[in-house]
């Protein structure tokens, strides 16, 4: 099976390494220092006490990699349209696409979130009639150096599932390859539930940690922040249920889990590095869906207002 990862950052690199170790003909579409490091020294996935290094085909030219059986997009949402344009030579007539980004994905209730997630229609035009597989990954990791991914917490897992209306001839084989390659992977019959389950955690953990500028465990050490997280989680659960995705999440357990993770979420990493934050997919799209469903989200509104004020202060 030929599989290419577009955007091999902290998440995509883990998937790429698992594909290689599971026996796939894997490649990455990368650029800059990260690309050079992967070409020269391989791709390294490390924890505090061990590391694994894999050799993988890497290029910044999709035409040189050619059409694939599966293309996995793990870029941040603001970069997705540009990445899809660059990746067009990877997409053959039967290529299947895995969407492995945070937040509300472009395929979810597309008409309600399209103005935020695909305003120019680039994503829809590129995808065409391709089968789309949704992906949800739980991992605490960051790019420690070009070609080197550091796992803050060794535990990780990936869930894959067909989006509504899609069909796949590769899903089961792909999941098996990833699982054999060391990335625990399961197939979900309702990927929308899985997307919303993770999104609820992002709405509380990412938002609060980014606003206060602290890793999850330090941010959630403050009682007021934990209470805000509980309220955001409960508001998001009501929203998910109103949209037809009744998420079974224990609010106190989710808060306790976040409080035990010494990790700077991706939104905080991006803010501190001066990069664009996934503000539309992670925050504006859920809020737009809440308005359309007449679901009140006062705590989420408050903390999102704090985030936008912080972003505006950085750019002023």
């Amino acid at each position: 099976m030929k599989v290419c990862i577009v955007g091999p950052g902290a998440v995509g690199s883990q998937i790429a390494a698992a594909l290689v170790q599971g026996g796939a003909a894997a490649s990455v579409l990368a650029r800059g220092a990260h690309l050079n490091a992967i070409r020269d020294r391989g791709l390294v996935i490390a924890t505090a006490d061990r590391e694994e290094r894999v050799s993988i085909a890497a290029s910044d030219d999709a035409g040189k990699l050619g059409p694939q059986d599966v293309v996995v997009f793990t870029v941040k949402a603001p970069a997705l349209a540009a990445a899809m344009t660059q990746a067009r030579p990877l997409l053959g007539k039967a290529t299947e696409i895995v969407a492995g980004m945070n937040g509300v994905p472009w395929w979810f209730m597309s008409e309600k979130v399209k103005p935020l997630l695909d305003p120019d229609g680039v994503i829809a035009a590129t995808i065409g009639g391709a089968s789309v597989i949704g992906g949800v990954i739980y991992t605490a990791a960051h790019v420690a150096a070009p070609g080197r991914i550091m796992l803050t917490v060794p535990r990780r897992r990936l869930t894959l599932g067909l989006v509504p209306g899609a069909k796949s001839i590769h899903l089961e084989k792909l999941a098996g390859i990833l699982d054999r390659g060391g990335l625990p992977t399961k197939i979900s019959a309702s990927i929308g539930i899985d997307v919303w389950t993770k999104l609820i955690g992002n709405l509380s953990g990412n938002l609060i940690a980014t606003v206060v500028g602290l890793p999850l465990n330090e941010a959630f050490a403050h009682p007021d922040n934990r209470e805000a997280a509980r309220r955001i989680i409960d508001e998001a659960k009501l929203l998910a249920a109103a949209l037809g995705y009744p998420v079974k999440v224990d609010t106190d357990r989710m808060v306790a889990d976040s409080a035990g993770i010494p990790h700077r979420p991706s939104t905080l990493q991006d803010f501190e590095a001066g990069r664009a934050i996934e503000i539309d997919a992670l925050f504006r799209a859920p809020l737009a869906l809440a308005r359309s469903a007449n679901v009140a989200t006062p705590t989420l509104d408050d903390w999102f207002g704090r985030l936008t004020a912080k972003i505006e202060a950085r750019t002023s």
Side-chain angles (χ1 to χ4, degrees), residues 69 86 99:
D69 295 313
Q86 182 188 11

Side-chain angles (χ1 to χ4, degrees), residues 212-222 225-226 258-264:
V212 302
L214 293 171
L216 285 167
N217 61 328
E218 295 181 30
F220 279 56
H222 196 290
N225 293 342
R226 290 198 302 274
S258 295
I261 302 175
H263 175 64
R264 306 180 89 80

